[in-house]
Amino acid sequence: MNKIDFEDLNNLIKSKEKVVTNVLRHIENQTTKKDKSKWGYGILTLFVTGCMFLFIFTQIIDSQNHTANEVPILEKNIFDINIKSQLHQNTLSVEEAEYKAFYDSLQHDANYAYALNKGIVLTENEINNKEKEFLGNLEELKQDPKKKEEFKELLGFLRLTEQQMIDQYIKPQAIKTAAFDQLVSDYYKKHKDAYELHVITSLEQDAMNYLSEKYPKKIANLQGEYDIPKKSKEMGNFLKIGLVVAIEDDKFLVVNNASDEDLSQLSSNGIVKKHKNGTWFPLHHVKQKIRIGDKVQVSSNRIQDTFPEVANLVSIKLLNNK
């Protein structure tokens, strides 16, 4: 609850106290009434007083929920901080830095908005824990003299004090992250054996789709503000053509050069070892029905270097000649 909330609540309490005082004075002035009337007024007084405290309590609870779960999204101030911070690192060209920071910020807001849309409600304890985690990371960073100096230079570049950075950026980002963490946790409850990359990328794609449909004008205005081109879905994608050799829960395995004969004679692990390749993709966004033995062309842009590989899914195309 912020300072404004406390002031509003104090004004509300004072206003309610005046109402109760006036009611009590009115009752005291009615001395000519019968005893039954006095009993009636007593009950009325208790009722009014009870309603007053119930109303105040409700306002407090509502204010806490509002503070916990309604952090502004698509706010230019946050985009400014992210973009300027990326430019300050001086590791990318200006165009690349602005592009990366813009879409990182957009994804973060999308994750939070989508979490709220899915009914995620954070408790004060969850928010406090995530804020402590973020602030703890900041304190750990400042223990390194070099990183502390770099952080100080960044604050100067942003023209922010450390407390302003915490209040305007770190705490809001902590709340957004806590909400998305809940979404990830809910996903794992449904798919316990899911790969982390699949969970994160699938939810991020759902979130970005939701934000784009919900706030197209706001996003377009921000893109125009920073002269950011629309994100290309095919930018930097990797293509894999192969046979689906396994389907498990929310994922499917594709192996290059695998054959129908392999499927009839070997296990999926045996096929992977034989052809020395294989990639697990998520089923989350696959609309068409796929089966073991289908030949597919799969597009991805994030790959986890394991064996078999784990990759996200940008697009999939059936290549069966049927």
Side-chain angles (χ1 to χ4, degrees), residues 76-91 94 97-102 105 150 153-160 165 168-169 226:
K76 188 175 182 297
N77 181 50
I78 295 293
F79 281 76
D80 279 342
I81 292 175
N82 270 339
I83 290 174
K84 289 179 180 178
S85 297
Q86 187 68 59
L87 289 171
H88 183 67
Q89 291 182 23
N90 200 29
T91 56
V94 172
E98 290 179 340
Y99 184 90
K100 181 181 186 305
F102 180 87
S105 302
E150 290 174 350
E153 290 178 5
L154 175 62
L155 291 176
F157 182 73
L158 296 173
R159 297 183 180 180
L160 293 174
M165 184 69 162
Q168 296 179 26
Y169 184 79
Y226 297 106

PDB file of all heavy atoms in Angstrom, residues 76-91 94 97-102 105 150 153-160 165 168-169 226:
ATOM      1  N   LYS A  76       6.637   3.737 -20.941  1.00  0.00           N
ATOM      2  CA  LYS A  76       7.803   4.247 -21.647  1.00  0.00           C
ATOM      3  C   LYS A  76       9.033   4.340 -20.743  1.00  0.00           C
ATOM      4  O   LYS A  76      10.162   4.101 -21.195  1.00  0.00           O
ATOM      5  CB  LYS A  76       7.493   5.631 -22.233  1.00  0.00           C
ATOM      6  CG  LYS A  76       8.586   6.175 -23.147  1.00  0.00           C
ATOM      7  CD  LYS A  76       8.170   7.483 -23.790  1.00  0.00           C
ATOM      8  CE  LYS A  76       9.258   7.986 -24.741  1.00  0.00           C
ATOM      9  NZ  LYS A  76      10.521   8.284 -24.043  1.00  0.00           N
ATOM     10  N   ASN A  77       8.827   4.638 -19.474  1.00  0.00           N
ATOM     11  CA  ASN A  77       9.944   4.784 -18.549  1.00  0.00           C
ATOM     12  C   ASN A  77      10.768   3.502 -18.461  1.00  0.00           C
ATOM     13  O   ASN A  77      12.008   3.532 -18.464  1.00  0.00           O
ATOM     14  CB  ASN A  77       9.415   5.163 -17.159  1.00  0.00           C
ATOM     15  CG  ASN A  77      10.530   5.343 -16.152  1.00  0.00           C
ATOM     16  OD1 ASN A  77      11.499   6.040 -16.405  1.00  0.00           O
ATOM     17  ND2 ASN A  77      10.398   4.701 -15.010  1.00  0.00           N
ATOM     18  N   ILE A  78      10.079   2.353 -18.395  1.00  0.00           N
ATOM     19  CA  ILE A  78      10.776   1.066 -18.311  1.00  0.00           C
ATOM     20  C   ILE A  78      11.541   0.783 -19.607  1.00  0.00           C
ATOM     21  O   ILE A  78      12.684   0.316 -19.584  1.00  0.00           O
ATOM     22  CB  ILE A  78       9.775  -0.072 -18.037  1.00  0.00           C
ATOM     23  CG1 ILE A  78       9.131   0.115 -16.662  1.00  0.00           C
ATOM     24  CG2 ILE A  78      10.457  -1.428 -18.129  1.00  0.00           C
ATOM     25  CD1 ILE A  78      10.077  -0.042 -15.501  1.00  0.00           C
ATOM     26  N   PHE A  79      10.911   1.071 -20.744  1.00  0.00           N
ATOM     27  CA  PHE A  79      11.571   0.854 -22.033  1.00  0.00           C
ATOM     28  C   PHE A  79      12.802   1.750 -22.158  1.00  0.00           C
ATOM     29  O   PHE A  79      13.835   1.344 -22.686  1.00  0.00           O
ATOM     30  CB  PHE A  79      10.587   1.110 -23.184  1.00  0.00           C
ATOM     31  CG  PHE A  79       9.645  -0.024 -23.441  1.00  0.00           C
ATOM     32  CD1 PHE A  79       8.575  -0.262 -22.605  1.00  0.00           C
ATOM     33  CD2 PHE A  79       9.839  -0.874 -24.524  1.00  0.00           C
ATOM     34  CE1 PHE A  79       7.704  -1.324 -22.833  1.00  0.00           C
ATOM     35  CE2 PHE A  79       8.979  -1.941 -24.767  1.00  0.00           C
ATOM     36  CZ  PHE A  79       7.903  -2.164 -23.912  1.00  0.00           C
ATOM     37  N   ASP A  80      12.692   2.995 -21.668  1.00  0.00           N
ATOM     38  CA  ASP A  80      13.833   3.920 -21.693  1.00  0.00           C
ATOM     39  C   ASP A  80      15.021   3.336 -20.929  1.00  0.00           C
ATOM     40  O   ASP A  80      16.161   3.352 -21.414  1.00  0.00           O
ATOM     41  CB  ASP A  80      13.442   5.262 -21.061  1.00  0.00           C
ATOM     42  CG  ASP A  80      12.675   6.148 -22.030  1.00  0.00           C
ATOM     43  OD1 ASP A  80      12.736   5.887 -23.244  1.00  0.00           O
ATOM     44  OD2 ASP A  80      12.022   7.104 -21.571  1.00  0.00           O
ATOM     45  N   ILE A  81      14.750   2.839 -19.720  1.00  0.00           N
ATOM     46  CA  ILE A  81      15.816   2.298 -18.877  1.00  0.00           C
ATOM     47  C   ILE A  81      16.477   1.098 -19.553  1.00  0.00           C
ATOM     48  O   ILE A  81      17.708   0.987 -19.596  1.00  0.00           O
ATOM     49  CB  ILE A  81      15.265   1.904 -17.489  1.00  0.00           C
ATOM     50  CG1 ILE A  81      14.862   3.171 -16.714  1.00  0.00           C
ATOM     51  CG2 ILE A  81      16.302   1.111 -16.697  1.00  0.00           C
ATOM     52  CD1 ILE A  81      14.190   2.896 -15.387  1.00  0.00           C
ATOM     53  N   ASN A  82      15.666   0.196 -20.091  1.00  0.00           N
ATOM     54  CA  ASN A  82      16.214  -1.001 -20.741  1.00  0.00           C
ATOM     55  C   ASN A  82      17.045  -0.660 -21.973  1.00  0.00           C
ATOM     56  O   ASN A  82      18.147  -1.182 -22.170  1.00  0.00           O
ATOM     57  CB  ASN A  82      15.073  -1.947 -21.139  1.00  0.00           C
ATOM     58  CG  ASN A  82      14.736  -2.929 -20.037  1.00  0.00           C
ATOM     59  OD1 ASN A  82      15.536  -3.179 -19.156  1.00  0.00           O
ATOM     60  ND2 ASN A  82      13.544  -3.473 -20.081  1.00  0.00           N
ATOM     61  N   ILE A  83      16.515   0.226 -22.804  1.00  0.00           N
ATOM     62  CA  ILE A  83      17.204   0.577 -24.043  1.00  0.00           C
ATOM     63  C   ILE A  83      18.494   1.334 -23.756  1.00  0.00           C
ATOM     64  O   ILE A  83      19.551   1.042 -24.326  1.00  0.00           O
ATOM     65  CB  ILE A  83      16.275   1.396 -24.969  1.00  0.00           C
ATOM     66  CG1 ILE A  83      15.164   0.480 -25.519  1.00  0.00           C
ATOM     67  CG2 ILE A  83      17.062   2.021 -26.117  1.00  0.00           C
ATOM     68  CD1 ILE A  83      14.108   1.197 -26.324  1.00  0.00           C
ATOM     69  N   LYS A  84      18.436   2.298 -22.865  1.00  0.00           N
ATOM     70  CA  LYS A  84      19.632   3.061 -22.518  1.00  0.00           C
ATOM     71  C   LYS A  84      20.688   2.181 -21.855  1.00  0.00           C
ATOM     72  O   LYS A  84      21.895   2.348 -22.079  1.00  0.00           O
ATOM     73  CB  LYS A  84      19.262   4.233 -21.607  1.00  0.00           C
ATOM     74  CG  LYS A  84      18.489   5.339 -22.315  1.00  0.00           C
ATOM     75  CD  LYS A  84      18.121   6.461 -21.347  1.00  0.00           C
ATOM     76  CE  LYS A  84      17.355   7.565 -22.057  1.00  0.00           C
ATOM     77  NZ  LYS A  84      16.936   8.645 -21.113  1.00  0.00           N
ATOM     78  N   SER A  85      20.233   1.231 -21.022  1.00  0.00           N
ATOM     79  CA  SER A  85      21.176   0.314 -20.372  1.00  0.00           C
ATOM     80  C   SER A  85      21.877  -0.558 -21.404  1.00  0.00           C
ATOM     81  O   SER A  85      23.084  -0.807 -21.308  1.00  0.00           O
ATOM     82  CB  SER A  85      20.433  -0.570 -19.365  1.00  0.00           C
ATOM     83  OG  SER A  85      19.866   0.202 -18.331  1.00  0.00           O
ATOM     84  N   GLN A  86      21.127  -1.037 -22.403  1.00  0.00           N
ATOM     85  CA  GLN A  86      21.708  -1.860 -23.459  1.00  0.00           C
ATOM     86  C   GLN A  86      22.706  -1.049 -24.297  1.00  0.00           C
ATOM     87  O   GLN A  86      23.779  -1.541 -24.655  1.00  0.00           O
ATOM     88  CB  GLN A  86      20.602  -2.415 -24.359  1.00  0.00           C
ATOM     89  CG  GLN A  86      21.069  -3.422 -25.395  1.00  0.00           C
ATOM     90  CD  GLN A  86      21.535  -4.728 -24.782  1.00  0.00           C
ATOM     91  OE1 GLN A  86      20.791  -5.404 -24.088  1.00  0.00           O
ATOM     92  NE2 GLN A  86      22.786  -5.092 -25.041  1.00  0.00           N
ATOM     93  N   LEU A  87      22.359   0.197 -24.584  1.00  0.00           N
ATOM     94  CA  LEU A  87      23.264   1.063 -25.333  1.00  0.00           C
ATOM     95  C   LEU A  87      24.532   1.345 -24.537  1.00  0.00           C
ATOM     96  O   LEU A  87      25.630   1.443 -25.101  1.00  0.00           O
ATOM     97  CB  LEU A  87      22.555   2.379 -25.678  1.00  0.00           C
ATOM     98  CG  LEU A  87      21.450   2.300 -26.730  1.00  0.00           C
ATOM     99  CD1 LEU A  87      20.693   3.623 -26.798  1.00  0.00           C
ATOM    100  CD2 LEU A  87      22.022   1.940 -28.098  1.00  0.00           C
ATOM    101  N   HIS A  88      24.379   1.460 -23.218  1.00  0.00           N
ATOM    102  CA  HIS A  88      25.524   1.765 -22.364  1.00  0.00           C
ATOM    103  C   HIS A  88      26.545   0.629 -22.363  1.00  0.00           C
ATOM    104  O   HIS A  88      27.748   0.867 -22.193  1.00  0.00           O
ATOM    105  CB  HIS A  88      25.051   2.046 -20.939  1.00  0.00           C
ATOM    106  CG  HIS A  88      26.149   2.440 -19.994  1.00  0.00           C
ATOM    107  ND1 HIS A  88      26.835   3.622 -20.110  1.00  0.00           N
ATOM    108  CD2 HIS A  88      26.690   1.796 -18.923  1.00  0.00           C
ATOM    109  CE1 HIS A  88      27.736   3.714 -19.151  1.00  0.00           C
ATOM    110  NE2 HIS A  88      27.676   2.610 -18.424  1.00  0.00           N
ATOM    111  N   GLN A  89      26.082  -0.619 -22.567  1.00  0.00           N
ATOM    112  CA  GLN A  89      27.003  -1.756 -22.590  1.00  0.00           C
ATOM    113  C   GLN A  89      27.954  -1.688 -23.781  1.00  0.00           C
ATOM    114  O   GLN A  89      29.062  -2.222 -23.732  1.00  0.00           O
ATOM    115  CB  GLN A  89      26.209  -3.068 -22.659  1.00  0.00           C
ATOM    116  CG  GLN A  89      25.445  -3.376 -21.385  1.00  0.00           C
ATOM    117  CD  GLN A  89      24.698  -4.700 -21.475  1.00  0.00           C
ATOM    118  OE1 GLN A  89      25.070  -5.573 -22.268  1.00  0.00           O
ATOM    119  NE2 GLN A  89      23.658  -4.858 -20.677  1.00  0.00           N
ATOM    120  N   ASN A  90      27.481  -1.065 -24.864  1.00  0.00           N
ATOM    121  CA  ASN A  90      28.326  -0.825 -26.035  1.00  0.00           C
ATOM    122  C   ASN A  90      28.897  -2.116 -26.637  1.00  0.00           C
ATOM    123  O   ASN A  90      30.031  -2.154 -27.116  1.00  0.00           O
ATOM    124  CB  ASN A  90      29.481   0.121 -25.651  1.00  0.00           C
ATOM    125  CG  ASN A  90      30.097   0.801 -26.864  1.00  0.00           C
ATOM    126  OD1 ASN A  90      29.415   1.032 -27.865  1.00  0.00           O
ATOM    127  ND2 ASN A  90      31.374   1.119 -26.787  1.00  0.00           N
ATOM    128  N   THR A  91      28.088  -3.181 -26.592  1.00  0.00           N
ATOM    129  CA  THR A  91      28.534  -4.453 -27.166  1.00  0.00           C
ATOM    130  C   THR A  91      27.838  -4.748 -28.494  1.00  0.00           C
ATOM    131  O   THR A  91      28.237  -5.668 -29.207  1.00  0.00           O
ATOM    132  CB  THR A  91      28.249  -5.617 -26.194  1.00  0.00           C
ATOM    133  OG1 THR A  91      26.859  -5.626 -25.865  1.00  0.00           O
ATOM    134  CG2 THR A  91      29.066  -5.463 -24.919  1.00  0.00           C
ATOM    135  N   VAL A  94      23.961   0.310 -32.427  1.00  0.00           N
ATOM    136  CA  VAL A  94      22.820   1.048 -31.872  1.00  0.00           C
ATOM    137  C   VAL A  94      21.505   0.394 -32.276  1.00  0.00           C
ATOM    138  O   VAL A  94      20.615   0.195 -31.441  1.00  0.00           O
ATOM    139  CB  VAL A  94      22.846   2.521 -32.345  1.00  0.00           C
ATOM    140  CG1 VAL A  94      21.564   3.236 -31.922  1.00  0.00           C
ATOM    141  CG2 VAL A  94      24.066   3.238 -31.778  1.00  0.00           C
ATOM    142  N   ALA A  97      21.113  -2.963 -30.446  1.00  0.00           N
ATOM    143  CA  ALA A  97      20.882  -2.756 -29.015  1.00  0.00           C
ATOM    144  C   ALA A  97      19.448  -2.300 -28.747  1.00  0.00           C
ATOM    145  O   ALA A  97      18.787  -2.797 -27.827  1.00  0.00           O
ATOM    146  CB  ALA A  97      21.874  -1.729 -28.465  1.00  0.00           C
ATOM    147  N   GLU A  98      18.981  -1.347 -29.543  1.00  0.00           N
ATOM    148  CA  GLU A  98      17.613  -0.855 -29.365  1.00  0.00           C
ATOM    149  C   GLU A  98      16.591  -1.949 -29.648  1.00  0.00           C
ATOM    150  O   GLU A  98      15.605  -2.092 -28.915  1.00  0.00           O
ATOM    151  CB  GLU A  98      17.372   0.349 -30.278  1.00  0.00           C
ATOM    152  CG  GLU A  98      18.125   1.592 -29.854  1.00  0.00           C
ATOM    153  CD  GLU A  98      17.894   2.765 -30.800  1.00  0.00           C
ATOM    154  OE1 GLU A  98      17.470   2.513 -31.955  1.00  0.00           O
ATOM    155  OE2 GLU A  98      18.143   3.910 -30.397  1.00  0.00           O
ATOM    156  N   TYR A  99      16.857  -2.713 -30.694  1.00  0.00           N
ATOM    157  CA  TYR A  99      15.947  -3.796 -31.083  1.00  0.00           C
ATOM    158  C   TYR A  99      15.850  -4.850 -29.980  1.00  0.00           C
ATOM    159  O   TYR A  99      14.762  -5.257 -29.568  1.00  0.00           O
ATOM    160  CB  TYR A  99      16.447  -4.426 -32.381  1.00  0.00           C
ATOM    161  CG  TYR A  99      15.555  -5.505 -32.957  1.00  0.00           C
ATOM    162  CD1 TYR A  99      14.543  -5.182 -33.847  1.00  0.00           C
ATOM    163  CD2 TYR A  99      15.744  -6.842 -32.614  1.00  0.00           C
ATOM    164  CE1 TYR A  99      13.725  -6.177 -34.384  1.00  0.00           C
ATOM    165  CE2 TYR A  99      14.926  -7.836 -33.151  1.00  0.00           C
ATOM    166  CZ  TYR A  99      13.922  -7.496 -34.025  1.00  0.00           C
ATOM    167  OH  TYR A  99      13.116  -8.468 -34.541  1.00  0.00           O
ATOM    168  N   LYS A 100      17.008  -5.286 -29.483  1.00  0.00           N
ATOM    169  CA  LYS A 100      17.039  -6.317 -28.448  1.00  0.00           C
ATOM    170  C   LYS A 100      16.369  -5.835 -27.166  1.00  0.00           C
ATOM    171  O   LYS A 100      15.529  -6.540 -26.579  1.00  0.00           O
ATOM    172  CB  LYS A 100      18.484  -6.722 -28.147  1.00  0.00           C
ATOM    173  CG  LYS A 100      18.608  -7.813 -27.084  1.00  0.00           C
ATOM    174  CD  LYS A 100      20.042  -8.157 -26.806  1.00  0.00           C
ATOM    175  CE  LYS A 100      20.154  -9.342 -25.846  1.00  0.00           C
ATOM    176  NZ  LYS A 100      19.411  -9.144 -24.584  1.00  0.00           N
ATOM    177  N   ALA A 101      16.724  -4.645 -26.701  1.00  0.00           N
ATOM    178  CA  ALA A 101      16.173  -4.126 -25.453  1.00  0.00           C
ATOM    179  C   ALA A 101      14.669  -3.899 -25.555  1.00  0.00           C
ATOM    180  O   ALA A 101      13.930  -4.151 -24.597  1.00  0.00           O
ATOM    181  CB  ALA A 101      16.881  -2.823 -25.073  1.00  0.00           C
ATOM    182  N   PHE A 102      14.220  -3.430 -26.712  1.00  0.00           N
ATOM    183  CA  PHE A 102      12.782  -3.172 -26.898  1.00  0.00           C
ATOM    184  C   PHE A 102      11.989  -4.467 -26.776  1.00  0.00           C
ATOM    185  O   PHE A 102      11.003  -4.535 -26.036  1.00  0.00           O
ATOM    186  CB  PHE A 102      12.536  -2.532 -28.261  1.00  0.00           C
ATOM    187  CG  PHE A 102      11.086  -2.239 -28.529  1.00  0.00           C
ATOM    188  CD1 PHE A 102      10.515  -1.041 -28.112  1.00  0.00           C
ATOM    189  CD2 PHE A 102      10.276  -3.163 -29.186  1.00  0.00           C
ATOM    190  CE1 PHE A 102       9.171  -0.768 -28.339  1.00  0.00           C
ATOM    191  CE2 PHE A 102       8.938  -2.905 -29.420  1.00  0.00           C
ATOM    192  CZ  PHE A 102       8.380  -1.702 -28.998  1.00  0.00           C
ATOM    193  N   SER A 105      11.961  -6.006 -23.286  1.00  0.00           N
ATOM    194  CA  SER A 105      11.004  -5.284 -22.433  1.00  0.00           C
ATOM    195  C   SER A 105       9.578  -5.687 -22.771  1.00  0.00           C
ATOM    196  O   SER A 105       8.737  -5.890 -21.880  1.00  0.00           O
ATOM    197  CB  SER A 105      11.162  -3.767 -22.613  1.00  0.00           C
ATOM    198  OG  SER A 105      12.467  -3.350 -22.300  1.00  0.00           O
ATOM    199  N   GLU A 150      30.801  -0.055 -12.414  1.00  0.00           N
ATOM    200  CA  GLU A 150      30.014  -0.081 -13.652  1.00  0.00           C
ATOM    201  C   GLU A 150      28.561   0.274 -13.383  1.00  0.00           C
ATOM    202  O   GLU A 150      27.926   0.977 -14.177  1.00  0.00           O
ATOM    203  CB  GLU A 150      30.111  -1.469 -14.292  1.00  0.00           C
ATOM    204  CG  GLU A 150      31.479  -1.784 -14.878  1.00  0.00           C
ATOM    205  CD  GLU A 150      31.571  -3.220 -15.371  1.00  0.00           C
ATOM    206  OE1 GLU A 150      30.642  -4.008 -15.079  1.00  0.00           O
ATOM    207  OE2 GLU A 150      32.574  -3.556 -16.041  1.00  0.00           O
ATOM    208  N   GLU A 153      28.322   3.965 -12.858  1.00  0.00           N
ATOM    209  CA  GLU A 153      28.382   4.662 -14.146  1.00  0.00           C
ATOM    210  C   GLU A 153      27.046   4.568 -14.880  1.00  0.00           C
ATOM    211  O   GLU A 153      26.602   5.533 -15.508  1.00  0.00           O
ATOM    212  CB  GLU A 153      29.489   4.059 -15.015  1.00  0.00           C
ATOM    213  CG  GLU A 153      30.906   4.350 -14.525  1.00  0.00           C
ATOM    214  CD  GLU A 153      31.954   3.683 -15.410  1.00  0.00           C
ATOM    215  OE1 GLU A 153      31.555   3.084 -16.429  1.00  0.00           O
ATOM    216  OE2 GLU A 153      33.141   3.746 -15.065  1.00  0.00           O
ATOM    217  N   LEU A 154      26.409   3.405 -14.792  1.00  0.00           N
ATOM    218  CA  LEU A 154      25.106   3.225 -15.434  1.00  0.00           C
ATOM    219  C   LEU A 154      24.065   4.159 -14.831  1.00  0.00           C
ATOM    220  O   LEU A 154      23.282   4.784 -15.561  1.00  0.00           O
ATOM    221  CB  LEU A 154      24.648   1.769 -15.297  1.00  0.00           C
ATOM    222  CG  LEU A 154      23.239   1.458 -15.822  1.00  0.00           C
ATOM    223  CD1 LEU A 154      23.153   1.733 -17.316  1.00  0.00           C
ATOM    224  CD2 LEU A 154      22.862   0.011 -15.526  1.00  0.00           C
ATOM    225  N   LEU A 155      24.051   4.272 -13.503  1.00  0.00           N
ATOM    226  CA  LEU A 155      23.103   5.174 -12.845  1.00  0.00           C
ATOM    227  C   LEU A 155      23.326   6.612 -13.305  1.00  0.00           C
ATOM    228  O   LEU A 155      22.368   7.360 -13.528  1.00  0.00           O
ATOM    229  CB  LEU A 155      23.247   5.079 -11.323  1.00  0.00           C
ATOM    230  CG  LEU A 155      22.798   3.763 -10.673  1.00  0.00           C
ATOM    231  CD1 LEU A 155      23.087   3.790  -9.172  1.00  0.00           C
ATOM    232  CD2 LEU A 155      21.310   3.521 -10.910  1.00  0.00           C
ATOM    233  N   GLY A 156      24.618   6.979 -13.462  1.00  0.00           N
ATOM    234  CA  GLY A 156      24.915   8.325 -13.949  1.00  0.00           C
ATOM    235  C   GLY A 156      24.428   8.522 -15.371  1.00  0.00           C
ATOM    236  O   GLY A 156      23.891   9.580 -15.721  1.00  0.00           O
ATOM    237  N   PHE A 157      24.599   7.492 -16.190  1.00  0.00           N
ATOM    238  CA  PHE A 157      24.153   7.545 -17.580  1.00  0.00           C
ATOM    239  C   PHE A 157      22.628   7.660 -17.660  1.00  0.00           C
ATOM    240  O   PHE A 157      22.086   8.373 -18.513  1.00  0.00           O
ATOM    241  CB  PHE A 157      24.639   6.286 -18.317  1.00  0.00           C
ATOM    242  CG  PHE A 157      24.287   6.253 -19.769  1.00  0.00           C
ATOM    243  CD1 PHE A 157      24.948   7.074 -20.682  1.00  0.00           C
ATOM    244  CD2 PHE A 157      23.314   5.390 -20.249  1.00  0.00           C
ATOM    245  CE1 PHE A 157      24.640   7.038 -22.035  1.00  0.00           C
ATOM    246  CE2 PHE A 157      22.997   5.343 -21.600  1.00  0.00           C
ATOM    247  CZ  PHE A 157      23.657   6.170 -22.495  1.00  0.00           C
ATOM    248  N   LEU A 158      21.947   6.956 -16.756  1.00  0.00           N
ATOM    249  CA  LEU A 158      20.478   6.979 -16.727  1.00  0.00           C
ATOM    250  C   LEU A 158      19.921   8.187 -15.981  1.00  0.00           C
ATOM    251  O   LEU A 158      18.721   8.453 -16.021  1.00  0.00           O
ATOM    252  CB  LEU A 158      19.948   5.700 -16.066  1.00  0.00           C
ATOM    253  CG  LEU A 158      20.240   4.380 -16.778  1.00  0.00           C
ATOM    254  CD1 LEU A 158      19.791   3.208 -15.909  1.00  0.00           C
ATOM    255  CD2 LEU A 158      19.542   4.329 -18.130  1.00  0.00           C
ATOM    256  N   ARG A 159      20.802   8.875 -15.258  1.00  0.00           N
ATOM    257  CA  ARG A 159      20.394  10.011 -14.411  1.00  0.00           C
ATOM    258  C   ARG A 159      19.384   9.581 -13.353  1.00  0.00           C
ATOM    259  O   ARG A 159      18.358  10.208 -13.127  1.00  0.00           O
ATOM    260  CB  ARG A 159      19.824  11.150 -15.267  1.00  0.00           C
ATOM    261  CG  ARG A 159      20.835  11.749 -16.239  1.00  0.00           C
ATOM    262  CD  ARG A 159      20.268  12.904 -17.017  1.00  0.00           C
ATOM    263  NE  ARG A 159      21.257  13.455 -17.941  1.00  0.00           N
ATOM    264  CZ  ARG A 159      21.036  14.479 -18.766  1.00  0.00           C
ATOM    265  NH1 ARG A 159      19.823  15.040 -18.776  1.00  0.00           N
ATOM    266  NH2 ARG A 159      21.982  14.922 -19.563  1.00  0.00           N
ATOM    267  N   LEU A 160      19.729   8.480 -12.697  1.00  0.00           N
ATOM    268  CA  LEU A 160      18.891   7.948 -11.638  1.00  0.00           C
ATOM    269  C   LEU A 160      19.740   7.708 -10.395  1.00  0.00           C
ATOM    270  O   LEU A 160      20.923   7.359 -10.502  1.00  0.00           O
ATOM    271  CB  LEU A 160      18.256   6.616 -12.045  1.00  0.00           C
ATOM    272  CG  LEU A 160      17.225   6.604 -13.177  1.00  0.00           C
ATOM    273  CD1 LEU A 160      16.849   5.165 -13.508  1.00  0.00           C
ATOM    274  CD2 LEU A 160      15.985   7.401 -12.805  1.00  0.00           C
ATOM    275  N   MET A 165      16.290   3.798  -9.070  1.00  0.00           N
ATOM    276  CA  MET A 165      16.421   2.592  -9.888  1.00  0.00           C
ATOM    277  C   MET A 165      15.654   1.433  -9.260  1.00  0.00           C
ATOM    278  O   MET A 165      14.969   0.671  -9.948  1.00  0.00           O
ATOM    279  CB  MET A 165      17.899   2.229 -10.027  1.00  0.00           C
ATOM    280  CG  MET A 165      18.176   1.038 -10.929  1.00  0.00           C
ATOM    281  SD  MET A 165      17.843   1.400 -12.672  1.00  0.00           S
ATOM    282  CE  MET A 165      18.762   0.083 -13.466  1.00  0.00           C
ATOM    283  N   GLN A 168      11.686   2.477  -9.417  1.00  0.00           N
ATOM    284  CA  GLN A 168      11.096   2.626 -10.752  1.00  0.00           C
ATOM    285  C   GLN A 168      11.307   1.407 -11.645  1.00  0.00           C
ATOM    286  O   GLN A 168      10.541   1.197 -12.588  1.00  0.00           O
ATOM    287  CB  GLN A 168      11.697   3.857 -11.448  1.00  0.00           C
ATOM    288  CG  GLN A 168      11.377   5.169 -10.778  1.00  0.00           C
ATOM    289  CD  GLN A 168      12.021   6.344 -11.488  1.00  0.00           C
ATOM    290  OE1 GLN A 168      12.305   6.310 -12.683  1.00  0.00           O
ATOM    291  NE2 GLN A 168      12.284   7.411 -10.735  1.00  0.00           N
ATOM    292  N   TYR A 169      12.332   0.603 -11.338  1.00  0.00           N
ATOM    293  CA  TYR A 169      12.654  -0.493 -12.242  1.00  0.00           C
ATOM    294  C   TYR A 169      12.723  -1.857 -11.560  1.00  0.00           C
ATOM    295  O   TYR A 169      12.014  -2.784 -11.948  1.00  0.00           O
ATOM    296  CB  TYR A 169      13.982  -0.200 -12.941  1.00  0.00           C
ATOM    297  CG  TYR A 169      14.348  -1.240 -13.978  1.00  0.00           C
ATOM    298  CD1 TYR A 169      13.756  -1.228 -15.236  1.00  0.00           C
ATOM    299  CD2 TYR A 169      15.277  -2.248 -13.694  1.00  0.00           C
ATOM    300  CE1 TYR A 169      14.074  -2.188 -16.194  1.00  0.00           C
ATOM    301  CE2 TYR A 169      15.607  -3.205 -14.645  1.00  0.00           C
ATOM    302  CZ  TYR A 169      15.000  -3.168 -15.886  1.00  0.00           C
ATOM    303  OH  TYR A 169      15.310  -4.117 -16.819  1.00  0.00           O
ATOM    304  N   TYR A 226      10.455   4.615 -30.744  1.00  0.00           N
ATOM    305  CA  TYR A 226      11.874   4.240 -30.779  1.00  0.00           C
ATOM    306  C   TYR A 226      12.337   3.831 -32.179  1.00  0.00           C
ATOM    307  O   TYR A 226      13.489   3.413 -32.350  1.00  0.00           O
ATOM    308  CB  TYR A 226      12.125   3.082 -29.811  1.00  0.00           C
ATOM    309  CG  TYR A 226      11.849   3.436 -28.370  1.00  0.00           C
ATOM    310  CD1 TYR A 226      10.710   2.963 -27.726  1.00  0.00           C
ATOM    311  CD2 TYR A 226      12.719   4.244 -27.655  1.00  0.00           C
ATOM    312  CE1 TYR A 226      10.443   3.275 -26.404  1.00  0.00           C
ATOM    313  CE2 TYR A 226      12.467   4.571 -26.328  1.00  0.00           C
ATOM    314  CZ  TYR A 226      11.324   4.082 -25.706  1.00  0.00           C
ATOM    315  OH  TYR A 226      11.065   4.401 -24.405  1.00  0.00           O
TER     316      TYR A 226
END
